[in-house]
Structure formats: C-alpha cells, structure tokens
Amino acid sequence: MQVHKYDVVIVGAGGAGMRAAIEAGQRARTAVLTKLYPTRSHTGAAQGGMCAALANVEEDNWEWHTFDTVKGGDYIVDQDAAEVMAKEAIDAVLDLEKMGLPFNRTPEGKIDQRRFGGHTRDHGKAPVRRACYAADRTGHMILQTLYQNCVKHNVEFYNEFYVLDLLMVEEDATREDGTPYKQKRVAGVVSYELATGELHIFQAKSVVFATGGAGKVFKTTSNAHTLTGDGMAIAYRHGIPLEDMEFIQFHPTGLAGLGILLSEAARGEGGILRNADGERFMERYAPTIKDLAPRDIVARSMANEVREGRGAGPNKDYVLLDLTHLEPEHIDAKLPDITEFARTYLGVEPYTEPVPVFPTCHYVMGGIPTDIEANVLQDNDTRIPGLFAAGEVACVSVHGANRLGTNSLLDINVFGRRAGIYAAEYAKDADFVDLPENGENFLVNQIESLRSAEGTEKVGELRAELQEVMDANMQVFRTEESIRLAIDKIEELRERYKNVAVQDKGKRYNLDLLEGLELGYLLDIAEAMSVAALHRPESRGGHYREDYPDRDDENWMVHSMLYRDENAETEGVKGIRFDTKDVVMTRYEPMERKY
Amino acid sequence: MTTTLEPTNNTEEVGAVESFTVTMQVRRYQPEFHEEAYWDTWTIEMYGTDRVLDALHKIKWEIDGTLTFRRSCAHGICGSDAMRINGVNRLACKVLLKDLDLSKPVTVEPIKGLPVEKDMIVDMEPFFQSYREIMPFLIADESREPTRERLQSAEARERFDDTTKCILCAACTSSCPVFWTDGQYFGPAAIVNAHRFIFDDRDEGGDMRLEVLNDKEGVWRCRTTFNCTEACPRGIQVTKAIAEVKQAILARNI
Ligand SMILES: Cc1cc2nc3c(=O)[nH]c(=O)nc-3n(C[C@H](O)[C@H](O)[C@H](O)COP(=O)(O)OP(=O)(O)OC[C@H]3O[C@@H](n4cnc5c(N)ncnc54)[C@H](O)[C@@H]3O)c2cc1C
Ligand code: SF4
Ligand code: FES
C-alpha cells in the first residue's frame, strides 16, 4: 500500500472542492482526490445562477439577501452563517469574473442579473434581480472556470481516486468545566484507485470533505448517478453527527417521469405553471410572488394539484410549464440548454407546447455540521481540528429547511474558499497526527468481503427498491405512516445488503464493486433522513408532515443532530442517537412564512 | 397509505405505452480475464424514453455486472460517456433508443484513438494533456484588475459563446482521422478551448496560445473533415472554431 503525505487533502473536485483547492494550493502542499474527473462533477449541471447583491440592475444589498435566505430556510438557518454568505457573495462573484467566468452582461457591460425564487427587495416587497448567470449553464461555467484556474495554479489532482474511509483517532480531553470527553482528530484518508484497485493512504494535517450531495437516495432526482452521499456516510460512520437530514429539497420542475431539471430560471424569465385546466394555479397558493415562490411551496402546490385531480397528461400525473408566450429568441438567448432537454428527452417543443413537469429530488440541506470557518464539529460545538467540510456535503447551516435557488453555487464558492484558507492555515502550525495502526483494515475487509461474496442479492435490485420506497414515502408529503414504511423497508434492505454479491471480481476499473459500496452509503443516508423526518413532528420548509401541518417554533426551532451510536435507539431504530442544537439568531425573529 | 403520492409510477405508466426489444452488441475488453477484445450481445426490453445509457445500465444492473463504462449526470452535461454508437461518436445518455434503427443490433464501442483500459473506458490522460498545453485559463494582468468586475460588452461576450459550451467529452477529438493516426495532434477539443480564450477580449494570452497552436502538431494538421462538428453533443461549430483560430494565426503573421 502506498502512503502519501500532504499538508492538505481535499476530497471532491466539484465547485466546493476546487474553490478550496485554489486557496489551499497556493498556501500549502495540497492534493485533491476525486472519484470523477473534476469537470465531470455535478456542479456542472447547475443551470440558473449564483446570487449576490451586486445591485448591477436594481437596488439591492446583502442584508436583504440575508433576510431572504433566513426566511426561505423557514428560520432554521444559522443567521451568522447566512450573513457571512450574503456579505462575501459579492466578492465571490467578482472573483469568478476575474478568474475568467463569462457571465452574461448588461448593456453597460456589467454582470447581468435576473430574478430567482424567494429573492426579494426590502424584506419581501417584490422580486429582485439578484442571480448572476451565464445563460442556463452557470454551474458548467463555474466548474470549468475553477478547473481552469486549478490548471493555472498547478493543483495536484488524483483523478478517479475514491475516498472510502477517514483515518481518525480519539484522545482523552477535558472541557473547560472539567468534564472529560473524547476529542476526535483526523490523520488522513484511505483511497481506492479505480484504475488498479489499489488502496492508498493519504496522511494529511488537514482534510477537506467536498463530496457533494446524496440525491440518488431517491428514484426521481436531478442528481447524478454518482451522488451517493459518500462523504456524509463516511463521517457518520466515524461518530460525526449529521445535521438536519430530514430537510431535502424537491425541485418543482423536473421533466415528468425523468427528473432531469429545468431550472427555475425558466420561471424567472417568465414561465408559468398551469394545471390541466390551463389555470395558473400558483396564484392561489402564493398570491404575491406566484410562480416564483420558494421551491418547497411550489413543489407541494404542484403535487397537490395532481392529487386533487387537476394534473395534466394521460395519467393526470404532472403539471405543465408554459413558455409558449415567450419569444423564441428570448428562450434561445436565456434558456437554450433546458429547452433542448425538453426536446431531446420528451420530444416536446417548448416554443409551442407546454412542458410536462413534476417535483424531483434536488438538494440535501443537511449534512456534516461545520462552523463558519468550515471546521467540522463532532457535537454541537466541539471542533475536530484539521477536519473541514464545504458544499452540499456540509451543513453550516445557510439553507435551513429549504434552500433558495442560486444559494448553493454561492455556498460552494464562499465556504469552499473558506475551507481552503482555514485548512491551509491550520496545516501551517499543526503536526501530522500519527496514522492509526492498521487503520485501513476496516476498508480492506469490507472490499475483500464484497468482492468475494457469493450472496444472492444484487446491488441494482436493492438500490432500485430503496429508491422506489423513498420516492413513494419520503417525498413532498410525509406522514408517520409513510415514513414508517420507508424505515421498515430500509431496515429490510440493510439486512439483505449483508448478503449482496458483485459479479466483477477484477481489480481494474471495478465499478461494480464501487456501486456496491455506494449502496451502503445510500442505505445509511436514507435511514438518517427517514429517522430524522419521523422524529420531527412539525412542518417546516422542505419537510412537510401532513399529520403535523404547522410549524412548531416552541418545540422544534432547533437543528436535529443524528449520531451513529451502538447503545442508542431513536424511533425504534437501533444504533441511532438523536440530539438537537440551537439555531443561531442574530437579527431576525421568526415570522410566518408567506409569499 | 392514504396520503402519499406515488410519482414513481409515472415512468412505468407513461413508458408502458411504448416498449420494444433491442439487441445491444457491445465491444468488450477485459484484460484481466481475456487477452483479446470480443463482442457480447444481449437482447433486452426497453421503453420509449430510454437512452443507450439506460440499456447499458439494464445490462450492468440486471445481467452482467462486469460491463464497465463511465457515466455520471445522465443528461449530457458531464461528458463522461462518449462512445461509438452504431459507428459514430455520441454520448450514451443523449441517444434515445427509439431514434435508432432497432431492426439491427445497436453497436457500442469505446471511442477511438485513446488507449482502451476496460470495455468502454479509455485512458483520458493524453486528451487532458493536450487541453492543459493550450493554457486553458484567462491570462490577464492582475495589477490592472479593477475593484469591480471587468466590463465586457454583450457582443464581445457573444463572440466566444459557442466554445464555452465544451464539456471535454472527447467525442470530437476521438472522431478525428488525423488524431487516430497521429496521437500527438492537439485535436479539436484543445483548439476549441483555446478559441474560447483567444476570442475573449478580456484575455491577453492570445499570442502565446496561437504560437502553441502554430506548432507542427497544432491547427495546421486539421484537414477539415467535419467529423468533429458532427460528433459534438453540445452543438459547437468545432470546425468553424478551428478555422477562426487558423485565420487568427495568419492575421498575426502579417
Ligand atoms: C441539475 C441541477 C441544477 C442546479 N442548479 C443550481 C443553480 O442554478 N444555482 C445554485 O445555486 N445551485 C444549483 N444546484 C445545486 C448546486 O449545483 C450543487 O449543490 C453544488 O454544485 C454542489 O457542489 P459540490 O462541490 O458540493 O458537489 P459536486 O459538484 O457534486 O462535487 C462532488 C465532488 O465530490 C467527488 N466525490 C464524491 N464522492 C467521493 C468519494 N467517495 N471520493 C472522492 N471523491 C468523491 C466527486 O468526484 C465530485 O468531484 C443545482 C443542482 C442540480 C443537480
Ligand atoms: S468540442 Fe464538443 S465534442 Fe469536443 S470535447 Fe467539447 S463538447 Fe465534446
Ligand atoms: S453521463 Fe454525463 S454526459 Fe452522459
């Protein structure tokens, strides 16, 4: 086994990982480990935009942006983090422009901005043009620009290196008040080289997790096949908590039946949602901002239209996104890619026909808890020295119960940058932590037993069953009964997973084996999401309990924190401990969330 | 379950309208178990909205887990799954089965000109090496950077819009007959990415890039076969971009 030594190891080369790499790479000896070639990361799929109160086209300021973020997240956003993000947004966009990002321009040559759901002027008075964009491929441009700058700065990449385990140690320590506790420390990571099947140990002073989301827990999703929650699950297995996992965003406009995303920009540019009767139904649900209400509200409204029999199509199971009143030239200039998706995958011509759409699993608001310096926490407030996380894998928490559109591309840039800087700074003064003896054994055994297993279960089958049950029971409407169904199924699948076998017994490019390991992550994450959802008897943002339709600020204005703990049990599920964490409030008192 | 929606059934119900059988003939290379490459054939049932990628997944997940290919986004945006489908370079996730002639087997092979590692997987390093050589990043004098953004007119921005769409899938480069015979040739993708900066009025590195591309393995190797333009899943006018780079080199020499 090869052992490598770096000051900083970054896991993941999407927007967050590469933004971190640009900073860390110029300050410390840095390696980026990524299971995909950097430019294959799913940041490239983001379409609509990245917001910042540049005020290039109309009055705006970062305080309004902070407010919108807090309100959009249904008040379970940590307000200090939201403030940092909204303030640093402006430089984050300008930095990207300086790195070469080809933003669309105003007639004066400034970065152009457009409307996006939930972004308003003066605390909700009217929609504001805050999203900076590059046609409808903003994420593609961000990913390319960051990769280009990594090439410029000679960032060292290990492509198609899967990180499958963290190397952690625990030390006895005492808190200020004298109570003893176990302090976790990170020593490095274990990585699997796809080309050869060899394991590599990377010893590092700082490790940054930037492994993205976990949308593949669901069947209908805008997420890539490779978004399997690896980073979250690996941290969770090491006793690091997962925060707010019940909050999952379902994006209103996925191509019906496929889940491929049509950006909210379609509505920002004037697109209208209609039911089978042609009615602009959002007027009923959000009279002020209608189709541009936050995603959770639009998604539920759509699902409700379908449920009440007003869905379109032969099975009345979707609604329609109408762009036909827009000029074809306008559509071509602002929404070329997504109209192409409608043509390619559904054979629908958006100039003349409305596009069938239905909510699709899009974004995980929860994740590995960090503070505003991107430092990972092992409980509500204890840092793990040297361990950082940023991007969709992390929960700082700026998105609370519902992320506003364009706030994630922002998040990955602001907190990716912070993670890179703080990881490098930490590494400057820190010593390497000794590698735990035989720290790789767990993984070696896991891989060997999977490769040599003769079991009867198939990865593809178990994964499909998981995704079906999550779509049916953990989507935009949840009840105790539905969530229980999901949990029972997950427990069954976890049992059957022990009996799973892969067919590819080789070492080179064994993606069969890796899909098996990824399924293990998906099962852990699905379980965490479902247990957290069952344990929160209220409705807030993306988490909607039909049996508890109101927000309950008195009891549930808190983050949920889930721990893997052999001695605990939550909602009848063994091995999970539940705790809560206070929300950081600075200037905004919770109000009813009306649009 | 009383209240829960079941949107998952959509695909089956909609798809059930149209199902058909497809024969997939796939070029296999499994160097750990067979020295030589060979063909495998499967006949499977597929649905109206299914793509070649769905067919490959069906085989991998239900029949033969050793079938190996790269993929991620599944909607033509990440550039992972360029392959030769019925003899032409395409992204497997963008080709609908129903658009192919299903009376014959659908053939799937790895892209040409890059070393095959296993089944559809090729070594992408040489491809990215050429990309890196054209200095694919904005070169500008940082000391003259404004505090706000640099201004750029909408027209100037439009000038290089087409070549910003590239997803580095290698469909163009690996469809180029010059590249097949001379692996040293930069290839269309690298030139497209040079074009993206050469025609960006914020960039000051044009001369350096043109010099690189004026090399004997540079733009002059292009014989305007148009295979690349035809192959590009992003609809980039690749041959036109190469022609514009050639003209730029000539214009500067004068
Ligand atoms: C279709 C779509 C459209 C979107 N549009 C917008 C938008 O308009 N505006 C907006 O703000 N947000 C948008 N989002 C959300 C946003 O794009 C994502 O949340 C964000 O890009 C995530 O970035 P990331 O860097 O955290 O992760 P990713 O870009 O997903 O990168 C993850 C990286 O981790 C690596 N990785 C994963 N697991 C491992 C492992 N085990 N070992 C090694 N490496 C690993 C991968 O190789 C990859 O490089 C959109 C999302 C989708 C799906
Ligand atoms: S120019 Fe087109 S075909 Fe060539 S690499 Fe870029 S996207 Fe692929
Ligand atoms: S899988 Fe991403 S381009 Fe086909």
Side-chain angles (χ1 to χ4, degrees):
Chain A
M1 185 156 359
Q2 290 187 50
V3 180
H4 313 254
K5 237 174 157 171
Y6 285 90
D7 291 330
V8 180
V9 160
I10 296 170
V11 184
M18 290 204 283
R19 190 66 190 78
I22 289 170
E23 299 302 329
Q26 296 180 68
R27 294 173 167 85
R29 195 156 171 266
T30 301
V32 182
L33 277 52
T34 170
K35 74 177 182 182
L36 302 172
Y37 272 85
T39 57
R40 313 290 184 229
S41 305
H42 211 54
T43 292
Q47 302 165 355
M50 163 170 171
C51 57
L54 297 181
N56 274 2
V57 287
E58 59 180 315
E59 188 187 355
D60 198 6
N61 66 60
W62 65 261
E63 190 273 314
W64 295 351
H65 182 183
T66 311
F67 172 79
D68 290 337
T69 301
V70 171
K71 179 181 173 192
D74 226 347
Y75 293 93
I76 208 167
V77 168
D78 285 334
Q79 296 183 11
D80 56 341
E83 241 167 70
V84 163
M85 185 172 79
K87 259 190 222 169
E88 294 185 7
I90 296 163
D91 277 334
V93 168
L94 297 178
D95 283 351
L96 286 170
E97 196 283 327
K98 286 175 184 155
M99 289 184 211
L101 198 140
F103 285 107
N104 278 43
R105 300 289 175 154
T106 66
E108 303 80 51
K110 294 196 268 188
I111 294 171
D112 198 11
Q113 299 190 273
R114 65 177 165 203
R115 292 175 176 176
F116 239 81
H119 290 281
T120 70
R121 54 171 287 113
D122 196 8
H123 314 93
K125 298 244 163 62
V128 73
R129 292 172 63 182
R130 186 178 290 148
C132 309
Y133 65 102
D136 55 356
R137 40 175 193 280
T138 314
H140 165 75
M141 297 298 196
I142 290 178
L143 191 70
Q144 295 291 328
T145 301
L146 292 175
Y147 183 60
Q148 289 156 5
N149 280 271
C150 285
V151 171
K152 176 175 167 182
H153 292 296
N154 282 315
V155 169
E156 212 175 321
F157 286 101
Y158 287 82
N159 295 327
E160 302 193 319
F161 273 62
Y162 284 65
V163 169
L164 300 175
D165 207 1
L166 261 172
L167 294 171
M168 305 270 292
V169 297
E170 282 193 340
E171 290 168 1
D172 290 318
T174 16
R175 298 196 191 280
E176 268 171 33
D177 65 2
T179 46
Y181 74 105
K182 295 277 183 201
Q183 174 65 56
K184 292 183 191 296
R185 287 181 166 275
V186 62
V189 298
V190 194
S191 181
Y192 177 98
E193 184 183 5
L194 183 65
T196 60
E198 297 297 325
L199 289 183
H200 298 246
I201 286 183
F202 286 81
Q203 188 177 18
K205 295 176 182 170
S206 293
V207 171
V208 180
F209 262 35
T211 54
K216 274 291 155 181
V217 161
F218 288 83
K219 177 178 172 189
T220 309
T221 176
S222 64
N223 282 197
H225 284 287
T226 45
L227 288 173
T228 46
D230 307 7
M232 295 176 195
I234 290 167
Y236 187 48
R237 289 173 183 183
H238 279 276
I240 295 167
L242 292 179
E243 182 174 352
D244 289 346
M245 291 302 284
E246 61 275 40
F247 298 112
I248 300 157
Q249 179 163 84
F250 297 89
H251 193 291
T253 52
L255 283 184
L258 293 172
I260 296 172
L261 193 78
L262 299 185
S263 166
E264 199 171 297
R267 281 170 288 135
E269 296 293 345
I272 292 171
L273 290 166
R274 299 186 189 281
N275 59 23
D277 310 325
E279 185 203 2
R280 183 178 193 179
F281 58 86
M282 282 312 299
E283 282 175 337
R284 265 188 282 125
Y285 297 94
T288 317
I289 54 176
K290 304 185 183 87
D291 300 273
L292 284 175
R295 292 176 176 173
D296 57 319
I297 296 176
V298 180
R300 270 197 302 280
S301 307
M302 289 167 65
N304 199 51
E305 288 299 296
V306 166
R307 188 159 63 168
E308 294 183 353
R310 292 186 293 278
N315 302 313
K316 293 176 165 299
D317 55 5
Y318 51 76
V319 300
L320 297 166
L321 175 66
D322 184 3
L323 303 173
T324 57
H325 54 289
L326 303 179
E327 289 298 322
E329 300 81 68
H330 185 72
I331 295 180
D332 286 347
K334 299 294 174 74
L335 309 166
D337 279 12
I338 63 177
T339 47
E340 162 85 13
F341 294 151
R343 287 184 198 115
T344 308
Y345 297 116
L346 290 184
V348 168
E349 175 47 66
Y351 295 160
T352 53
E353 294 166 273
V355 184
V357 290
F358 201 73
T360 180
C361 170
H362 187 56
Y363 187 85
V364 183
M365 268 76 75
I368 303 174
T370 71
D371 60 20
I372 54 175
E373 295 187 351
N375 213 305
V376 173
L377 303 173
Q378 69 177 50
D379 52 36
N380 284 1
D381 38 36
T382 313
R383 283 180 164 190
I384 302 176
L387 186 59
F388 299 83
E392 196 167 336
V393 69
C395 180
V396 242
S397 113
V398 283
H399 308 305
N402 170 63
R403 169 176 76 81
L404 289 190
T406 69
N407 261 353
S408 175
L409 290 178
L410 178 59
D411 173 7
I412 62 179
N413 276 286
V414 167
F415 291 100
R417 173 175 167 278
R418 285 181 159 243
I421 293 173
Y422 290 115
E425 273 178 11
Y426 175 80
K428 212 179 285 169
D429 303 318
D431 293 321
F432 285 99
V433 172
D434 288 337
L435 291 171
E437 217 164 296
N438 301 324
E440 71 283 5
N441 275 5
F442 172 74
L443 188 60
V444 172
N445 293 337
Q446 201 186 10
I447 289 175
E448 273 327 305
S449 66
L450 193 53
R451 207 202 307 267
S452 57
E454 300 288 342
T456 48
E457 299 285 358
K458 278 192 166 161
V459 172
E461 228 161 82
L462 298 194
R463 185 177 46 213
E465 287 182 36
L466 172 71
Q467 293 168 337
E468 294 273 355
V469 81
M470 293 297 281
D471 262 24
N473 299 295
M474 275 285 291
Q475 231 226 20
V476 297
F477 294 116
R478 300 169 178 172
T479 63
E480 169 160 9
E481 194 192 350
S482 76
I483 303 170
R484 281 261 174 241
L485 282 173
I487 293 178
D488 291 347
K489 183 71 186 184
I490 294 165
E491 299 316 304
E492 174 206 317
L493 292 170
R494 288 174 73 93
E495 271 311 304
R496 288 166 59 193
Y497 181 67
K498 294 179 185 154
N499 195 25
V500 99
V502 299
Q503 283 171 288
D504 196 334
K505 307 294 182 194
K507 295 208 101 189
R508 294 163 62 96
Y509 292 94
N510 192 340
L511 287 165
D512 201 25
L513 174 80
L514 286 156
E515 282 192 35
L517 295 168
E518 287 170 342
L519 173 61
Y521 301 142
L522 287 175
L523 286 167
D524 281 7
I525 297 303
E527 183 184 70
M529 287 171 171
S530 308
V531 169
L534 189 55
H535 207 65
R536 182 180 283 274
E538 65 152 359
S539 291
R540 188 186 292 273
H543 172 64
Y544 191 78
R545 289 282 301 260
E546 289 203 288
D547 40 0
Y548 300 94
D550 298 322
R551 199 172 83 189
D552 176 3
D553 285 349
E554 206 164 307
N555 299 302
W556 287 100
M557 186 69 170
V558 285
H559 298 293
S560 54
M561 303 287 277
L562 241 52
Y563 296 79
R564 262 274 180 103
D565 180 345
E566 277 174 27
N567 305 316
E569 184 175 312
T570 302
E571 297 293 343
V573 179
K574 289 206 177 66
I576 295 183
R577 179 162 60 85
F578 183 89
D579 198 0
T580 60
K581 178 173 142 190
D582 288 341
V583 174
V584 180
M585 307 253 183
T586 55
R587 52 177 104 199
Y588 307 108
E589 284 297 319
M591 298 188 310
E592 197 193 342
R593 189 160 149 265
K594 266 196 8 228
Y595 289 92
Chain B
M1 198 182 358
T2 49
T3 47
T4 312
L5 282 167
E6 300 209 33
T8 47
N9 291 341
N10 291 2
T11 358
E12 278 100 54
E13 279 162 27
V14 174
V17 179
E18 217 196 326
S19 91
F20 40 77
T21 53
V22 188
T23 301
M24 302 293 297
Q25 192 172 40
V26 182
R27 188 73 176 159
R28 305 295 305 272
Y29 179 55
Q30 296 270 340
E32 286 169 281
F33 305 102
H34 306 272
E35 254 172 59
E36 299 291 325
Y38 56 98
W39 292 93
D40 253 337
T41 307
W42 293 276
T43 300
I44 50 180
E45 189 178 6
M46 301 301 296
Y47 297 93
T49 53
D50 283 338
R51 300 151 260 169
V52 170
L53 181 63
D54 297 304
L56 296 176
H57 270 149
K58 192 177 173 82
I59 296 166
K60 181 174 182 70
W61 292 340
E62 294 174 19
I63 308 170
D64 184 350
T66 67
L67 180 62
T68 305
F69 47 91
R70 293 190 177 102
R71 53 80 177 120
S72 183
C73 73
H75 65 283
I77 218 71
C78 74
S80 296
D81 59 342
M83 38 190 98
R84 272 166 79 82
I85 297 168
N86 284 347
V88 289
N89 283 4
R90 291 285 179 269
L91 297 177
C93 64
K94 276 197 90 173
V95 180
L96 288 168
L97 288 166
K98 71 175 170 60
D99 293 342
L100 299 172
D101 174 3
L102 299 180
S103 64
K104 293 184 296 196
V106 174
T107 62
V108 180
E109 303 161 79
I111 49 177
K112 281 170 75 169
L114 292 161
V116 181
E117 299 287 331
K118 179 175 176 179
D119 292 350
M120 291 317 116
I121 294 192
V122 298
D123 178 5
M124 293 294 289
E125 257 329 295
F127 173 81
F128 279 103
Q129 184 55 38
S130 300
Y131 167 80
R132 286 192 292 265
E133 275 171 33
I134 54 93
M135 294 173 278
F137 40 81
L138 193 83
I139 298 175
D141 183 352
E142 280 166 28
S143 67
R144 287 189 286 113
E145 255 177 20
T147 43
R148 293 284 297 194
E149 70 263 48
R150 297 186 196 84
L151 297 184
Q152 180 170 52
S153 72
E155 297 71 49
R157 162 69 180 75
E158 188 56 29
R159 182 66 191 85
F160 62 100
D161 186 64
D162 201 35
T163 44
T164 63
K165 294 176 190 159
C166 177
I167 54 173
L168 298 168
C169 69
C172 54
T173 298
S174 65
S175 71
C176 173
V178 179
F179 181 74
W180 295 340
T181 48
D182 174 7
Q184 297 304 308
Y185 171 44
F186 278 100
I191 303 172
V192 160
N193 282 282
H195 178 283
R196 178 252 169 273
F197 290 103
I198 293 167
F199 292 94
D200 184 338
D201 67 352
R202 299 170 299 172
D203 184 78
E204 295 160 12
D207 283 332
M208 285 191 282
R209 284 192 198 89
L210 290 174
E211 211 152 289
V212 173
L213 290 171
N214 197 17
D215 180 89
K216 69 176 183 358
E217 300 297 349
V219 283
W220 306 112
R221 306 291 322 257
C222 166
R223 296 198 311 250
T224 352
T225 323
F226 279 96
N227 283 21
C228 50
T229 306
E230 155 64 21
C232 178
R234 303 286 291 151
I236 298 171
Q237 298 299 311
V238 181
T239 314
K240 181 168 167 232
I242 297 174
E244 288 178 353
V245 172
K246 286 180 182 170
Q247 277 158 14
I249 294 178
L250 292 176
R252 278 179 211 220
N253 277 348
I254 288 166

